[in-house]
């Protein structure tokens, strides 16, 4: 029996109405691009955010898994990701900017800076994509279970899952698969066969045909490098992405895929290994500083509850593209109903990637 994370009821949003006002998240990307103040990682890849209440801090937002009725298959037998769990925690406040006494940046942050510096500075728009159930129509962590004996995990392994520690749980799953003789080739074959989300190929084709000065394209996912790279290269879509931010994963000498957290942070809502909002804010600030000017618009295409967190940092000229009726869309809708004006970005729900193309055509032409 699959371990399913329970969803929060719509009334849970009322608990965070006051926190929304206090967090003042609306328009943060716009503010960042004006000030170009970078978010800095320390030597432990840890990001500090302003103090916030830790009530319900165990509740986290996962990056994937939309409603079960949208899922094409259920090989998963993994905890459902990207559902709303329990009461909503206090909202993240603005991450700290550089100040006196701040430790030097980590090597990973230095690499982020050097890599982004090689991207052309003449791009007009910045667009972020989630991966699972956004680019692909399944959850890659669920799909890898197809490599297990009988295409399911033993109950003792599923029982080791703890809320907020999904990354650690997946490390145990990958270790188990290696012990069962699952090879790198086996996992790659599964990843390569995941179907693209409807209309996503059309969206990618549209982005490819645009002038080089239009879109800077970034992938931001709580999956891992091996899963994502395997799918993108098979689909021929890897060159489209200027940057990919996800959890590092490499095979060790024993043939086991070793998964590591992307970073640590102090956001009380997000899983321990990744807060997407921190990544978005850091990247936008860094690129604005490198470019010497802000982007005309920032777009975010996602589906999950954890995609709502970075979307909160978008400004009124930016656009959030939530997959219709998935957690990100529900959270935005509830926020609009509870506190009109608190979610600043224009919201464009999508069922197919073609819906995104239609809106991008209009925005590019403006």
């Amino acid at each position: 029996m699959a371990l399913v994370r329970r969803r929060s009821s719509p009334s849970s949003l009322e608990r965070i109405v006051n926190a929304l006002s206090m967090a003042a998240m609306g328009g943060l990307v716009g503010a960042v691009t004006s000030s170009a103040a970078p978010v800095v990682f320390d030597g432990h890849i840890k990001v500090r955010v302003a103090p916030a209440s830790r009530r319900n801090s165990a509740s986290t937002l996962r990056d994937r898994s939309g409603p079960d009725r949208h899922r094409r298959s259920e090989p998963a037998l993994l905890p459902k990701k990207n559902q709303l769990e329990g009461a909503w925690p206090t909202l993240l406040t603005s991450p700290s900017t550089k100040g006196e006494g701040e430790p030097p940046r980590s090597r990973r942050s230095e690499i982020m800076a050097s890599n982004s510096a090689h991207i052309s500075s003449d791009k007009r728009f910045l667009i972020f994509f989630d991966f699972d159930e956004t680019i692909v129509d399944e959850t890659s962590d669920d799909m890898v279970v197809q490599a297990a004996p009988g295409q399911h995990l033993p109950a003792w392994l599923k029982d080791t899952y703890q809320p907020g520690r999904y990354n650690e749980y997946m490390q145990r799953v990958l270790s188990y698969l290696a012990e069962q003789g699952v090879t790198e080739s086996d996992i790659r074959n599964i990843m390569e066969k995941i179907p693209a989300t409807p209309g996503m190929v059309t969206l990618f084709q549209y982005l490819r045909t645009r002038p080089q000065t239009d879109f800077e394209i970034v992938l931001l996912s709580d999956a891992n490098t091996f899963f994502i790279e395997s799918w993108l290269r098979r689909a021929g879509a890897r060159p489209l992405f200027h940057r990919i931010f996800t959890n590092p994963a490499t095979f060790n000498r024993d043939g086991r895929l070793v998964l590591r957290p992307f970073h640590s942070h102090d956001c009380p809502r997000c899983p321990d290994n990744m807060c997407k909002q921190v990544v978005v804010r850091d990247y936008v600030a860094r690129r604005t500083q490198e470019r010497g000017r802000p982007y005309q618009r920032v777009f975010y295409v996602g589906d999950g509850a954890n995609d709502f967190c970075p979307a909160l940092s978008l400004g009124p000229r930016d656009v959030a593209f939530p997959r219709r009726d998935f957690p990100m869309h529900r959270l935005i809708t509830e926020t609009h109903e509870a506190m009109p004006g608190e979610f600043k970005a224009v919201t464009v729900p999508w069922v197919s990637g073609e819906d995104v193309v239609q809106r991008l055509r209009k925005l590019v032409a403006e």
Side-chain angles (χ1 to χ4, degrees), residues 60-72:
T60 58
L61 306 184
R62 293 308 308 170
D63 169 80
R64 304 192 269 283
S65 184
D68 291 344
R69 64 190 179 87
H70 289 282
R71 302 191 58 76
R72 179 172 301 176

Side-chain angles (χ1 to χ4, degrees), residues 264-327:
S264 61
H265 58 85
D266 286 343
C267 174
R269 298 178 305 159
C270 290
D272 292 346
N273 61 290
M274 175 177 279
C275 172
K276 290 186 176 183
Q277 186 187 122
V278 166
V279 180
V280 167
R281 289 174 57 87
D282 179 46
Y283 188 81
V284 173
R286 190 186 310 282
R287 291 293 291 136
T288 299
Q289 188 174 45
E290 292 168 352
R291 290 157 47 88
R293 65 187 185 282
Y295 296 94
Q296 292 181 20
R297 296 179 190 271
V298 177
F299 306 115
Y300 192 100
V301 186
D303 72 284
N306 200 28
D307 294 314
F308 176 68
C309 188
L312 281 169
S313 66
L314 301 179
R317 285 185 52 81
D318 304 325
V319 182
F321 290 96
R323 192 171 183 182
R324 185 178 293 277
D325 295 331
F326 277 65

Side-chain angles (χ1 to χ4, degrees), residues 3 13 29 38 44 46 58 83 119 122 140 157-158 161 191 201 213 217 266 340 355 362:
L3 176 60
L13 184 70
V29 163
H44 300 286
K46 188 175 184 65
Q83 303 293 351
I119 302 173
D122 59 357
S140 55
L157 178 55
K158 291 182 287 183
Y161 167 73
M191 293 301 115
V201 173
T213 56
I217 307 169
D266 286 343
D355 301 330
K362 296 179 181 179

Side-chain angles (χ1 to χ4, degrees), residues 37-103:
V39 177
V40 180
F41 296 79
D42 69 19
H44 300 286
I45 326 296
K46 188 175 184 65
V47 180
R48 296 292 179 185
V49 299
S53 168
R54 288 309 181 117
R55 180 175 61 87
N56 296 323
S57 61
S59 296
T60 58
L61 306 184
R62 293 308 308 170
D63 169 80
R64 304 192 269 283
S65 184
D68 291 344
R69 64 190 179 87
H70 289 282
R71 302 191 58 76
R72 179 172 301 176
S73 61
E74 282 295 339
L77 304 182
L78 293 180
K80 293 299 178 186
K81 305 176 72 175
N82 211 7
Q83 303 293 351
L84 310 183
E85 180 183 10
W88 194 275
T90 301
L91 288 175
L92 173 68
T93 55
S94 175
S96 303
T97 55
K98 187 166 183 165
E100 295 183 0
E102 188 173 40

